[in-house]
Amino acid sequence: MDNGFDNSISGGADLRPDADERHMARAIDQAYIAEENGDVPIGCVIVYEGQVVAKAYNQREQLHDPTAHAEIIALTQAAEFIGNWRLHGCTIYVTLEPCPMCAGALVLARMDRLVYGCDDPKTGAVRSLYNIVQDERLNHRLEVTAGVLADKCTAQLQEFFKRRREEKRNSEFL
């Protein structure tokens, strides 16, 4: 059954899987910056014509802004770089499946392609709970590749939340 997702990360004549992994590794690097700043480690990069034109990480805690998701910040950067809010020709790489807000923003920005690391069973709006980016009722749809470096993305998030739970538990004993 074709669910509209490309979960393959195989080699062969198509060099895109190698590029996808390389760009996802850059998104993971951005996620570490979020973690260093006390935020949930989610990072992303946007690529246009083979060049990284935006890179961002979650900054909700840092900016005290519920909309300061990595994707939203990167979209703003990419639009500024390109000089247009329509981001045709762009691919976004994000470590976690986008939430409804971010998925909607990707559609509104007219992104060509979304590549993400791991699924988000609690708020995922690409496959887990909704499929906003490929909803035929909307005027634009994105190509989606899921599962790129998923194990690394998942491990990064799990370690972050494990540490956060331990810190909370330890602070309760003080």
Side-chain angles (χ1 to χ4, degrees):
M1 178 179 105
D2 181 14
N3 62 3
F5 293 94
D6 177 7
N7 289 314
S8 65
I9 306 178
S10 59
D14 181 11
L15 298 177
R16 192 152 68 172
D18 291 337
D20 285 351
E21 289 185 8
R22 186 173 61 254
H23 293 307
M24 185 61 71
R26 294 186 79 173
I28 291 168
D29 290 343
Q30 290 297 302
Y32 280 115
I33 298 171
E35 186 171 1
E36 289 169 4
N37 290 326
D39 217 319
V40 177
I42 300 169
C44 75
V45 298
I46 296 178
V47 175
Y48 176 69
E49 296 181 348
Q51 176 184 357
V52 174
V53 297
K55 57 185 181 177
Y57 52 88
N58 266 16
Q59 296 182 42
R60 293 183 312 165
E61 298 295 335
Q62 187 176 0
L63 299 177
H64 310 289
D65 180 352
T67 67
H69 290 204
E71 299 96 322
I72 301 300
I73 295 166
L75 286 171
T76 301
Q77 292 173 0
E80 179 67 26
F81 179 87
I82 292 169
N84 196 325
W85 64 267
R86 290 178 189 88
L87 299 179
H88 295 292
C90 290
T91 298
I92 188 167
Y93 295 83
V94 61
T95 56
L96 182 67
E97 177 183 6
C99 71
M101 175 183 69
C102 293
L106 298 179
V107 171
L108 293 173
R110 312 298 195 267
M111 299 282 303
D112 284 2
R113 185 167 176 250
L114 161 66
V115 179
Y116 72 89
C118 56
D119 291 334
D120 183 351
K122 294 185 178 183
T123 64
V126 177
R127 175 163 69 179
S128 296
L129 298 178
Y130 310 101
N131 187 356
I132 292 172
V133 300
Q134 293 180 328
D135 190 322
E136 303 221 356
R137 296 170 293 179
L138 300 176
N139 65 339
H140 180 77
R141 285 168 289 290
L142 284 75
E143 176 186 339
V144 176
T145 302
V148 175
L149 300 182
D151 291 343
K152 289 183 180 182
C153 295
T154 299
Q156 185 179 36
L157 286 161
Q158 287 175 341
E159 284 299 314
F160 172 80
F161 285 111
K162 179 182 177 186
R163 278 192 305 279
R164 187 172 267 186
R165 285 189 301 273
E166 289 171 357
E167 289 168 3
K168 184 178 180 184
R169 204 173 311 123
N170 290 338
S171 69
E172 290 173 356
F173 292 113
L174 298 178

